[in-house]
Short mmCIF file of all heavy atoms in Angstrom, two decimals:
data_model
loop_
_atom_site.label_atom_id
_atom_site.label_comp_id
_atom_site.label_asym_id
_atom_site.label_seq_id
_atom_site.Cartn_x
_atom_site.Cartn_y
_atom_site.Cartn_z
N MET A 793 11.49 -1.36 9.74
CA MET A 793 10.10 -0.98 9.49
C MET A 793 9.65 -1.61 8.18
O MET A 793 10.43 -1.68 7.23
CB MET A 793 10.02 0.54 9.40
CG MET A 793 8.62 1.02 9.06
SD MET A 793 8.41 2.77 9.31
CE MET A 793 9.62 3.46 8.20
N ARG A 794 8.44 -2.07 8.16
CA ARG A 794 7.91 -2.65 6.92
C ARG A 794 6.81 -1.75 6.39
O ARG A 794 5.88 -1.39 7.08
CB ARG A 794 7.39 -4.05 7.18
CG ARG A 794 8.48 -4.99 7.62
CD ARG A 794 7.93 -6.34 7.94
NE ARG A 794 7.81 -7.15 6.72
CZ ARG A 794 7.01 -8.21 6.62
NH1 ARG A 794 6.21 -8.51 7.59
NH2 ARG A 794 6.97 -8.91 5.52
N LEU A 795 6.93 -1.42 5.13
CA LEU A 795 5.95 -0.55 4.50
C LEU A 795 5.32 -1.31 3.33
O LEU A 795 5.99 -2.07 2.64
CB LEU A 795 6.62 0.70 3.93
CG LEU A 795 6.73 1.91 4.83
CD1 LEU A 795 7.48 3.02 4.10
CD2 LEU A 795 5.38 2.40 5.32
N PRO A 796 4.04 -1.10 3.09
CA PRO A 796 3.39 -1.73 1.94
C PRO A 796 3.90 -1.11 0.65
O PRO A 796 4.29 0.06 0.61
CB PRO A 796 1.92 -1.46 2.15
CG PRO A 796 1.83 -0.31 3.06
CD PRO A 796 3.08 -0.31 3.90
N SER A 797 3.87 -1.91 -0.37
CA SER A 797 4.26 -1.45 -1.69
C SER A 797 3.25 -2.01 -2.69
O SER A 797 2.78 -3.14 -2.54
CB SER A 797 5.66 -1.99 -1.99
OG SER A 797 6.03 -1.72 -3.32
N ILE A 798 2.89 -1.22 -3.66
CA ILE A 798 1.88 -1.65 -4.63
C ILE A 798 2.52 -1.87 -6.00
O ILE A 798 3.25 -1.00 -6.49
CB ILE A 798 0.75 -0.61 -4.74
CG1 ILE A 798 0.00 -0.55 -3.40
CG2 ILE A 798 -0.20 -0.95 -5.88
CD1 ILE A 798 -1.02 0.54 -3.31
N ASP A 799 2.27 -3.01 -6.57
CA ASP A 799 2.77 -3.29 -7.90
C ASP A 799 1.82 -2.65 -8.92
O ASP A 799 0.68 -3.09 -9.09
CB ASP A 799 2.80 -4.81 -8.11
CG ASP A 799 3.40 -5.17 -9.47
OD1 ASP A 799 3.43 -4.31 -10.35
OD2 ASP A 799 3.82 -6.33 -9.62
N PRO A 800 2.27 -1.62 -9.60
CA PRO A 800 1.37 -0.91 -10.52
C PRO A 800 0.93 -1.76 -11.71
O PRO A 800 -0.08 -1.48 -12.34
CB PRO A 800 2.22 0.30 -10.99
CG PRO A 800 3.61 -0.12 -10.76
CD PRO A 800 3.62 -1.06 -9.58
N GLU A 801 1.71 -2.81 -12.01
CA GLU A 801 1.33 -3.70 -13.10
C GLU A 801 0.11 -4.53 -12.73
O GLU A 801 -0.65 -4.94 -13.59
CB GLU A 801 2.50 -4.64 -13.42
CG GLU A 801 3.78 -3.96 -13.82
CD GLU A 801 3.70 -3.39 -15.22
OE1 GLU A 801 3.16 -4.10 -16.10
OE2 GLU A 801 4.15 -2.27 -15.43
N LYS A 802 -0.04 -4.78 -11.44
CA LYS A 802 -1.14 -5.63 -10.97
C LYS A 802 -2.36 -4.84 -10.54
O LYS A 802 -3.48 -5.32 -10.67
CB LYS A 802 -0.65 -6.49 -9.79
CG LYS A 802 0.36 -7.54 -10.16
CD LYS A 802 0.68 -8.36 -8.93
CE LYS A 802 1.64 -9.51 -9.25
NZ LYS A 802 2.00 -10.24 -8.03
N CYS A 803 -2.17 -3.65 -9.99
CA CYS A 803 -3.28 -2.92 -9.40
C CYS A 803 -4.32 -2.57 -10.47
O CYS A 803 -4.00 -2.04 -11.52
CB CYS A 803 -2.75 -1.64 -8.75
SG CYS A 803 -4.06 -0.56 -8.13
N SER A 804 -5.57 -2.88 -10.13
CA SER A 804 -6.67 -2.58 -11.07
C SER A 804 -7.50 -1.39 -10.59
O SER A 804 -8.56 -1.12 -11.13
CB SER A 804 -7.56 -3.82 -11.19
OG SER A 804 -8.16 -4.11 -9.93
N ALA A 805 -7.02 -0.70 -9.57
CA ALA A 805 -7.70 0.48 -9.04
C ALA A 805 -9.12 0.18 -8.58
O ALA A 805 -10.02 0.97 -8.76
CB ALA A 805 -7.69 1.62 -10.06
N CYS A 806 -9.30 -0.98 -7.95
CA CYS A 806 -10.62 -1.35 -7.48
C CYS A 806 -11.06 -0.51 -6.29
O CYS A 806 -12.26 -0.38 -6.03
CB CYS A 806 -10.66 -2.82 -7.14
SG CYS A 806 -9.73 -3.21 -5.64
N GLY A 807 -10.12 0.01 -5.55
CA GLY A 807 -10.45 0.87 -4.41
C GLY A 807 -10.59 0.17 -3.08
O GLY A 807 -10.82 0.81 -2.07
N ASN A 808 -10.43 -1.14 -3.06
CA ASN A 808 -10.57 -1.87 -1.79
C ASN A 808 -9.61 -1.35 -0.73
O ASN A 808 -10.00 -1.16 0.43
CB ASN A 808 -10.31 -3.37 -1.99
CG ASN A 808 -11.50 -4.09 -2.54
OD1 ASN A 808 -12.52 -3.47 -2.84
ND2 ASN A 808 -11.38 -5.40 -2.69
N CYS A 809 -8.36 -1.20 -1.09
CA CYS A 809 -7.37 -0.85 -0.10
C CYS A 809 -7.65 0.54 0.49
O CYS A 809 -7.55 0.74 1.69
CB CYS A 809 -5.95 -0.90 -0.68
SG CYS A 809 -5.71 0.05 -2.18
N GLU A 810 -8.05 1.48 -0.35
CA GLU A 810 -8.37 2.82 0.16
C GLU A 810 -9.58 2.77 1.08
O GLU A 810 -9.63 3.45 2.09
CB GLU A 810 -8.63 3.76 -1.02
CG GLU A 810 -8.89 5.19 -0.57
CD GLU A 810 -9.24 6.08 -1.75
OE1 GLU A 810 -10.26 5.81 -2.42
OE2 GLU A 810 -8.52 7.02 -2.00
N GLU A 811 -10.54 1.94 0.71
CA GLU A 811 -11.74 1.84 1.55
C GLU A 811 -11.41 1.25 2.90
O GLU A 811 -11.93 1.69 3.92
CB GLU A 811 -12.75 0.95 0.80
CG GLU A 811 -14.15 1.10 1.33
CD GLU A 811 -15.15 0.42 0.40
OE1 GLU A 811 -15.11 0.69 -0.81
OE2 GLU A 811 -15.94 -0.36 0.90
N ILE A 812 -10.54 0.25 2.91
CA ILE A 812 -10.20 -0.45 4.15
C ILE A 812 -9.26 0.36 4.99
O ILE A 812 -9.37 0.39 6.21
CB ILE A 812 -9.59 -1.83 3.81
CG1 ILE A 812 -10.67 -2.71 3.20
CG2 ILE A 812 -8.97 -2.48 5.04
CD1 ILE A 812 -10.13 -3.96 2.51
N CYS A 813 -8.31 1.01 4.37
CA CYS A 813 -7.23 1.66 5.12
C CYS A 813 -6.83 2.98 4.46
O CYS A 813 -5.74 3.14 3.90
CB CYS A 813 -6.02 0.71 5.15
SG CYS A 813 -4.83 1.11 6.42
N PRO A 814 -7.72 3.99 4.55
CA PRO A 814 -7.46 5.24 3.82
C PRO A 814 -6.29 6.04 4.39
O PRO A 814 -5.80 6.95 3.72
CB PRO A 814 -8.78 6.02 4.01
CG PRO A 814 -9.45 5.41 5.20
CD PRO A 814 -9.02 3.97 5.23
N GLU A 815 -5.84 5.67 5.62
CA GLU A 815 -4.67 6.37 6.16
C GLU A 815 -3.39 6.02 5.42
O GLU A 815 -2.41 6.71 5.48
CB GLU A 815 -4.48 6.03 7.65
CG GLU A 815 -5.59 6.53 8.56
CD GLU A 815 -6.69 5.47 8.75
OE1 GLU A 815 -6.77 4.54 7.93
OE2 GLU A 815 -7.47 5.58 9.71
N VAL A 816 -3.45 4.87 4.74
CA VAL A 816 -2.22 4.37 4.10
C VAL A 816 -2.32 4.36 2.57
O VAL A 816 -1.34 4.62 1.89
CB VAL A 816 -1.93 2.94 4.61
CG1 VAL A 816 -0.69 2.35 3.92
CG2 VAL A 816 -1.71 2.95 6.13
N PHE A 817 -3.52 4.06 2.04
CA PHE A 817 -3.65 3.91 0.59
C PHE A 817 -4.58 4.98 0.03
O PHE A 817 -5.56 5.38 0.64
CB PHE A 817 -4.25 2.53 0.27
CG PHE A 817 -3.45 1.40 0.79
CD1 PHE A 817 -3.78 0.76 1.98
CD2 PHE A 817 -2.32 0.94 0.11
CE1 PHE A 817 -3.03 -0.29 2.48
CE2 PHE A 817 -1.57 -0.11 0.61
CZ PHE A 817 -1.94 -0.73 1.80
N GLU A 818 -4.24 5.42 -1.16
CA GLU A 818 -5.08 6.41 -1.84
C GLU A 818 -5.09 6.11 -3.34
O GLU A 818 -4.04 5.90 -3.93
CB GLU A 818 -4.54 7.82 -1.57
CG GLU A 818 -5.39 8.91 -2.18
CD GLU A 818 -4.84 10.28 -1.79
OE1 GLU A 818 -3.87 10.73 -2.43
OE2 GLU A 818 -5.38 10.87 -0.85
N LEU A 819 -6.26 6.16 -3.90
CA LEU A 819 -6.35 5.95 -5.34
C LEU A 819 -5.93 7.22 -6.06
O LEU A 819 -6.37 8.30 -5.75
CB LEU A 819 -7.80 5.62 -5.74
CG LEU A 819 -8.24 4.15 -5.70
CD1 LEU A 819 -9.64 4.04 -6.30
CD2 LEU A 819 -7.29 3.27 -6.46
N GLY A 820 -5.07 7.03 -7.06
CA GLY A 820 -4.62 8.18 -7.82
C GLY A 820 -5.45 8.39 -9.07
O GLY A 820 -6.34 7.60 -9.38
N ASP A 821 -5.16 9.43 -9.79
CA ASP A 821 -5.87 9.71 -11.05
C ASP A 821 -5.39 8.84 -12.17
O ASP A 821 -5.94 8.85 -13.26
CB ASP A 821 -5.69 11.16 -11.44
CG ASP A 821 -6.33 12.09 -10.44
OD1 ASP A 821 -7.32 11.67 -9.79
OD2 ASP A 821 -5.86 13.23 -10.28
N ASP A 822 -4.31 8.10 -11.93
CA ASP A 822 -3.70 7.33 -12.98
C ASP A 822 -4.11 5.87 -12.95
O ASP A 822 -3.40 4.98 -13.38
CB ASP A 822 -2.17 7.43 -12.91
CG ASP A 822 -1.67 7.03 -11.52
OD1 ASP A 822 -2.49 6.78 -10.61
OD2 ASP A 822 -0.45 6.99 -11.34
N ASP A 823 -5.30 5.61 -12.37
CA ASP A 823 -5.83 4.25 -12.36
C ASP A 823 -4.99 3.25 -11.59
O ASP A 823 -4.88 2.09 -11.98
CB ASP A 823 -6.06 3.73 -13.78
CG ASP A 823 -7.36 4.28 -14.36
OD1 ASP A 823 -8.17 4.82 -13.58
OD2 ASP A 823 -7.55 4.15 -15.57
N ARG A 824 -4.39 3.71 -10.54
CA ARG A 824 -3.77 2.76 -9.59
C ARG A 824 -3.70 3.40 -8.23
O ARG A 824 -3.80 4.63 -8.10
CB ARG A 824 -2.41 2.28 -10.09
CG ARG A 824 -1.39 3.35 -10.32
CD ARG A 824 -0.15 2.68 -10.91
NE ARG A 824 0.70 3.64 -11.57
CZ ARG A 824 1.89 4.00 -11.14
NH1 ARG A 824 2.36 3.53 -10.01
NH2 ARG A 824 2.62 4.84 -11.80
N SER A 825 -3.49 2.56 -7.26
CA SER A 825 -3.45 3.03 -5.90
C SER A 825 -2.02 3.35 -5.51
O SER A 825 -1.06 2.82 -6.05
CB SER A 825 -4.03 1.96 -4.97
OG SER A 825 -4.11 2.46 -3.67
N HIS A 826 -1.90 4.23 -4.53
CA HIS A 826 -0.59 4.63 -4.04
C HIS A 826 -0.50 4.47 -2.54
O HIS A 826 -1.51 4.62 -1.85
CB HIS A 826 -0.32 6.09 -4.39
CG HIS A 826 -0.31 6.37 -5.84
ND1 HIS A 826 0.82 6.33 -6.61
CD2 HIS A 826 -1.32 6.65 -6.69
CE1 HIS A 826 0.52 6.59 -7.86
NE2 HIS A 826 -0.77 6.77 -7.96
N VAL A 827 0.69 4.22 -2.05
CA VAL A 827 0.92 4.23 -0.62
C VAL A 827 1.25 5.65 -0.22
O VAL A 827 2.21 6.23 -0.74
CB VAL A 827 2.08 3.27 -0.25
CG1 VAL A 827 2.37 3.36 1.23
CG2 VAL A 827 1.72 1.83 -0.64
N ILE A 828 0.47 6.20 0.68
CA ILE A 828 0.68 7.61 1.03
C ILE A 828 1.30 7.78 2.41
O ILE A 828 1.61 8.89 2.82
CB ILE A 828 -0.65 8.40 0.98
CG1 ILE A 828 -1.71 7.74 1.87
CG2 ILE A 828 -1.14 8.53 -0.46
CD1 ILE A 828 -2.97 8.61 2.01
N ALA A 829 1.49 6.66 3.12
CA ALA A 829 2.03 6.75 4.48
C ALA A 829 3.53 6.45 4.49
O ALA A 829 4.00 5.60 3.75
CB ALA A 829 1.31 5.78 5.39
N ASP A 830 4.28 7.19 5.28
CA ASP A 830 5.68 6.90 5.46
C ASP A 830 5.92 6.06 6.70
O ASP A 830 7.02 5.63 6.99
CB ASP A 830 6.49 8.20 5.61
CG ASP A 830 6.57 8.93 4.28
OD1 ASP A 830 6.61 8.26 3.25
OD2 ASP A 830 6.59 10.17 4.31
N ASP A 831 4.87 5.89 7.46
CA ASP A 831 4.98 5.16 8.72
C ASP A 831 3.64 4.47 8.98
O ASP A 831 2.60 5.13 8.96
CB ASP A 831 5.29 6.13 9.85
CG ASP A 831 5.56 5.41 11.16
OD1 ASP A 831 5.40 4.19 11.21
OD2 ASP A 831 5.90 6.11 12.14
N VAL A 832 3.66 3.17 9.13
CA VAL A 832 2.38 2.47 9.35
C VAL A 832 2.30 1.92 10.76
O VAL A 832 1.51 1.04 11.03
CB VAL A 832 2.20 1.33 8.31
CG1 VAL A 832 2.08 1.91 6.92
CG2 VAL A 832 3.31 0.31 8.39
N GLU A 833 3.07 2.48 11.67
CA GLU A 833 3.02 2.04 13.04
C GLU A 833 1.59 2.26 13.59
O GLU A 833 1.01 3.33 13.45
CB GLU A 833 4.01 2.83 13.90
CG GLU A 833 4.31 2.10 15.20
CD GLU A 833 5.38 2.85 16.00
OE1 GLU A 833 6.22 3.53 15.40
OE2 GLU A 833 5.32 2.72 17.21
N GLY A 834 1.04 1.21 14.16
CA GLY A 834 -0.32 1.28 14.68
C GLY A 834 -1.37 1.01 13.64
O GLY A 834 -2.56 0.89 13.96
N LEU A 835 -0.95 0.91 12.39
CA LEU A 835 -1.89 0.67 11.28
C LEU A 835 -1.70 -0.70 10.68
O LEU A 835 -2.26 -1.00 9.62
CB LEU A 835 -1.72 1.74 10.20
CG LEU A 835 -2.03 3.19 10.63
CD1 LEU A 835 -1.53 4.17 9.59
CD2 LEU A 835 -3.52 3.38 10.83
N GLU A 836 -0.90 -1.52 11.35
CA GLU A 836 -0.56 -2.82 10.76
C GLU A 836 -1.79 -3.66 10.44
O GLU A 836 -1.83 -4.34 9.42
CB GLU A 836 0.36 -3.61 11.72
CG GLU A 836 1.74 -3.02 11.86
CD GLU A 836 1.82 -2.04 13.03
OE1 GLU A 836 0.76 -1.64 13.55
OE2 GLU A 836 2.94 -1.67 13.43
N ALA A 837 -2.79 -3.60 11.33
CA ALA A 837 -3.97 -4.45 11.14
C ALA A 837 -4.73 -4.05 9.88
O ALA A 837 -5.17 -4.90 9.11
CB ALA A 837 -4.89 -4.36 12.36
N CYS A 838 -4.86 -2.75 9.65
CA CYS A 838 -5.63 -2.37 8.46
C CYS A 838 -4.78 -2.59 7.20
O CYS A 838 -5.33 -2.90 6.15
CB CYS A 838 -6.22 -0.97 8.58
SG CYS A 838 -5.20 0.41 8.17
N VAL A 839 -3.48 -2.49 7.31
CA VAL A 839 -2.62 -2.81 6.17
C VAL A 839 -2.76 -4.28 5.82
O VAL A 839 -2.92 -4.65 4.64
CB VAL A 839 -1.14 -2.45 6.46
CG1 VAL A 839 -0.22 -3.03 5.39
CG2 VAL A 839 -0.95 -0.95 6.52
N GLU A 840 -2.74 -5.13 6.84
CA GLU A 840 -2.91 -6.56 6.60
C GLU A 840 -4.26 -6.86 5.96
O GLU A 840 -4.39 -7.67 5.06
CB GLU A 840 -2.80 -7.34 7.92
CG GLU A 840 -1.40 -7.40 8.49
CD GLU A 840 -0.48 -8.30 7.68
OE1 GLU A 840 -0.97 -9.17 6.94
OE2 GLU A 840 0.75 -8.12 7.80
N ALA A 841 -5.31 -6.18 6.45
CA ALA A 841 -6.64 -6.39 5.89
C ALA A 841 -6.69 -5.96 4.43
O ALA A 841 -7.30 -6.60 3.59
CB ALA A 841 -7.68 -5.62 6.71
N ALA A 842 -6.01 -4.88 4.11
CA ALA A 842 -6.00 -4.38 2.73
C ALA A 842 -5.27 -5.39 1.84
O ALA A 842 -5.71 -5.69 0.72
CB ALA A 842 -5.31 -3.02 2.66
N ILE A 843 -4.16 -5.94 2.36
CA ILE A 843 -3.41 -6.93 1.58
C ILE A 843 -4.30 -8.16 1.31
O ILE A 843 -4.36 -8.65 0.17
CB ILE A 843 -2.14 -7.36 2.35
CG1 ILE A 843 -1.14 -6.21 2.37
CG2 ILE A 843 -1.51 -8.61 1.73
CD1 ILE A 843 0.05 -6.43 3.28
N GLU A 844 -4.99 -8.60 2.34
CA GLU A 844 -5.84 -9.78 2.18
C GLU A 844 -7.02 -9.54 1.24
O GLU A 844 -7.52 -10.47 0.59
CB GLU A 844 -6.36 -10.25 3.53
CG GLU A 844 -5.29 -10.95 4.35
CD GLU A 844 -5.74 -11.24 5.76
OE1 GLU A 844 -6.95 -11.24 6.01
OE2 GLU A 844 -4.88 -11.47 6.61
N ASN A 845 -7.45 -8.31 1.12
CA ASN A 845 -8.63 -8.00 0.34
C ASN A 845 -8.30 -7.39 -1.03
O ASN A 845 -9.19 -6.94 -1.74
CB ASN A 845 -9.56 -7.08 1.11
CG ASN A 845 -10.28 -7.81 2.21
OD1 ASN A 845 -11.22 -8.55 1.96
ND2 ASN A 845 -9.80 -7.66 3.43
N CYS A 846 -7.04 -7.38 -1.37
CA CYS A 846 -6.66 -6.92 -2.70
C CYS A 846 -6.89 -8.06 -3.70
O CYS A 846 -6.25 -9.10 -3.59
CB CYS A 846 -5.22 -6.48 -2.73
SG CYS A 846 -4.64 -6.08 -4.41
N PRO A 847 -7.81 -7.90 -4.64
CA PRO A 847 -8.14 -9.00 -5.55
C PRO A 847 -7.03 -9.33 -6.53
O PRO A 847 -7.00 -10.41 -7.10
CB PRO A 847 -9.36 -8.48 -6.30
CG PRO A 847 -9.26 -6.99 -6.23
CD PRO A 847 -8.60 -6.68 -4.91
N GLU A 848 -6.07 -8.43 -6.66
CA GLU A 848 -4.98 -8.66 -7.63
C GLU A 848 -3.67 -9.07 -6.94
O GLU A 848 -2.66 -9.23 -7.60
CB GLU A 848 -4.71 -7.38 -8.44
CG GLU A 848 -5.95 -6.74 -9.02
CD GLU A 848 -6.66 -7.61 -10.05
OE1 GLU A 848 -6.01 -8.54 -10.56
OE2 GLU A 848 -7.84 -7.37 -10.32
N ASP A 849 -3.71 -9.23 -5.62
CA ASP A 849 -2.47 -9.50 -4.89
C ASP A 849 -1.37 -8.50 -5.24
O ASP A 849 -0.20 -8.87 -5.44
CB ASP A 849 -1.96 -10.92 -5.15
CG ASP A 849 -2.79 -11.95 -4.40
OD1 ASP A 849 -3.36 -11.61 -3.36
OD2 ASP A 849 -2.85 -13.10 -4.88
N ALA A 850 -1.76 -7.25 -5.33
CA ALA A 850 -0.81 -6.23 -5.79
C ALA A 850 -0.02 -5.59 -4.64
O ALA A 850 0.95 -4.88 -4.87
CB ALA A 850 -1.55 -5.12 -6.55
N ILE A 851 -0.47 -5.86 -3.40
CA ILE A 851 0.20 -5.21 -2.26
C ILE A 851 1.12 -6.17 -1.56
O ILE A 851 0.74 -7.30 -1.23
CB ILE A 851 -0.84 -4.71 -1.23
CG1 ILE A 851 -1.94 -3.90 -1.92
CG2 ILE A 851 -0.16 -3.85 -0.16
CD1 ILE A 851 -3.12 -3.55 -1.01
N THR A 852 2.34 -5.76 -1.36
CA THR A 852 3.30 -6.57 -0.60
C THR A 852 3.94 -5.70 0.48
O THR A 852 3.95 -4.48 0.37
CB THR A 852 4.42 -7.11 -1.50
OG1 THR A 852 5.00 -6.03 -2.22
CG2 THR A 852 3.88 -8.14 -2.49
N LEU A 853 4.46 -6.37 1.49
CA LEU A 853 5.17 -5.63 2.55
C LEU A 853 6.67 -5.74 2.26
O LEU A 853 7.17 -6.83 2.00
CB LEU A 853 4.87 -6.21 3.91
CG LEU A 853 3.55 -5.76 4.56
CD1 LEU A 853 3.37 -6.49 5.88
CD2 LEU A 853 3.56 -4.26 4.81
N LYS A 854 7.35 -4.64 2.31
CA LYS A 854 8.77 -4.65 2.08
C LYS A 854 9.51 -4.06 3.26
O LYS A 854 9.07 -3.08 3.85
CB LYS A 854 9.10 -3.83 0.83
CG LYS A 854 8.51 -4.45 -0.43
CD LYS A 854 9.08 -3.81 -1.66
CE LYS A 854 8.56 -4.58 -2.87
NZ LYS A 854 8.84 -3.93 -4.13
N ASP A 855 10.60 -4.70 3.59
CA ASP A 855 11.42 -4.18 4.70
C ASP A 855 12.08 -2.88 4.28
O ASP A 855 12.57 -2.77 3.16
CB ASP A 855 12.50 -5.19 5.06
CG ASP A 855 11.93 -6.35 5.82
OD1 ASP A 855 11.05 -6.12 6.66
OD2 ASP A 855 12.34 -7.50 5.58
N ARG A 856 12.03 -1.96 5.17
CA ARG A 856 12.69 -0.69 4.88
C ARG A 856 13.37 -0.23 6.14
O ARG A 856 12.75 -0.12 7.19
CB ARG A 856 11.64 0.34 4.44
CG ARG A 856 12.24 1.52 3.76
CD ARG A 856 11.19 2.29 3.03
NE ARG A 856 10.72 1.57 1.85
CZ ARG A 856 9.70 1.98 1.08
NH1 ARG A 856 9.06 3.05 1.41
NH2 ARG A 856 9.35 1.29 0.03
N GLU A 857 14.64 0.05 6.04
CA GLU A 857 15.35 0.42 7.27
C GLU A 857 15.08 1.86 7.61
O GLU A 857 15.05 2.72 6.77
CB GLU A 857 16.85 0.22 7.06
CG GLU A 857 17.24 -1.23 7.05
CD GLU A 857 18.74 -1.38 6.85
OE1 GLU A 857 19.47 -0.47 7.25
OE2 GLU A 857 19.14 -2.40 6.28
N ASP A 858 14.90 2.06 8.92
CA ASP A 858 14.72 3.42 9.39
C ASP A 858 15.92 4.28 9.04
O ASP A 858 17.06 3.85 9.22
CB ASP A 858 14.51 3.45 10.92
CG ASP A 858 13.14 2.93 11.28
OD1 ASP A 858 12.17 3.51 10.79
OD2 ASP A 858 13.05 1.94 12.02
N GLY A 859 15.69 5.45 8.56
CA GLY A 859 16.78 6.37 8.29
C GLY A 859 17.44 6.14 6.95
O GLY A 859 18.21 6.94 6.48
N GLY A 860 17.09 5.03 6.30
CA GLY A 860 17.67 4.78 5.00
C GLY A 860 16.91 5.54 3.93
O GLY A 860 15.91 6.19 4.21
N GLY A 861 17.40 5.48 2.73
CA GLY A 861 16.71 6.15 1.65
C GLY A 861 15.39 5.48 1.40
O GLY A 861 15.28 4.25 1.54
N ASN A 862 14.37 6.22 1.15
CA ASN A 862 13.12 5.58 0.83
C ASN A 862 12.94 5.44 -0.68
O ASN A 862 13.52 6.18 -1.44
CB ASN A 862 11.91 6.28 1.49
CG ASN A 862 11.58 7.59 0.84
OD1 ASN A 862 11.91 7.82 -0.32
ND2 ASN A 862 10.91 8.46 1.56
N GLY A 863 12.19 4.47 -1.05
CA GLY A 863 12.12 4.14 -2.48
C GLY A 863 11.01 4.82 -3.20
O GLY A 863 10.52 4.31 -4.20
N HIS A 864 10.60 5.98 -2.75
CA HIS A 864 9.50 6.66 -3.43
C HIS A 864 9.87 7.04 -4.86
O HIS A 864 10.98 7.48 -5.09
CB HIS A 864 9.10 7.90 -2.65
CG HIS A 864 8.17 7.60 -1.52
ND1 HIS A 864 6.86 8.01 -1.55
CD2 HIS A 864 8.34 6.92 -0.39
CE1 HIS A 864 6.27 7.56 -0.43
NE2 HIS A 864 7.15 6.91 0.28
N GLU A 865 8.91 6.89 -5.72
CA GLU A 865 9.17 7.24 -7.11
C GLU A 865 8.62 8.60 -7.43
O GLU A 865 7.66 9.02 -6.83
CB GLU A 865 8.53 6.21 -8.03
CG GLU A 865 9.20 4.86 -7.88
CD GLU A 865 8.41 3.78 -8.61
OE1 GLU A 865 7.46 4.14 -9.34
OE2 GLU A 865 8.73 2.62 -8.44
S1 SF4 B 860 -6.97 -3.35 -3.47
FE1 SF4 B 860 -5.27 -3.94 -4.82
S2 SF4 B 860 -6.09 -3.80 -6.92
FE2 SF4 B 860 -7.49 -2.68 -5.56
S3 SF4 B 860 -6.79 -0.52 -5.65
FE3 SF4 B 860 -5.77 -1.49 -3.90
S4 SF4 B 860 -3.79 -2.26 -4.70
FE4 SF4 B 860 -5.14 -1.83 -6.46
#
């Protein structure tokens, strides 16, 4: 499974990703966006659109194995 990941160093909290794909991205109070979904099945198109429309190139897709530990901070 591939899940989006946001580089907090790059994110400028512009809100594009949340606007495009609110099921997956949410702006936090700390001036950056967060990935709120644990599963993006069926949402790949909007994730791709969010990646393409991120002005800072802050969103990347990372492979994550099912059942493995998740990298949530
Ligand atoms: S589109 Fe990119 S820069 Fe804008 S809030 Fe989302 S991750 Fe941050």
Side-chain angles (χ1 to χ4, degrees):
M793 177 167 61
R794 296 177 85 201
L795 271 178
S797 173
I798 295 173
D799 183 340
E801 301 285 319
K802 292 183 177 176
C803 176
S804 63
C806 71
N808 278 4
C809 53
E810 183 183 61
E811 197 168 310
I812 292 166
C813 198
E815 294 92 340
V816 177
F817 302 98
E818 183 176 79
L819 272 187
D821 294 332
D822 54 355
D823 279 347
R824 59 185 159 112
S825 186
H826 298 267
V827 176
I828 55 171
D830 288 327
D831 186 355
V832 296
E833 200 176 331
L835 296 168
E836 292 91 347
C838 83
V839 169
E840 289 289 339
I843 290 171
E844 284 173 19
N845 286 283
C846 174
E848 312 296 341
D849 284 334
I851 310 170
T852 53
L853 278 177
K854 295 192 174 169
D855 285 322
R856 196 164 289 174
E857 286 180 30
D858 286 302
N862 72 23
H864 277 249
E865 293 170 8

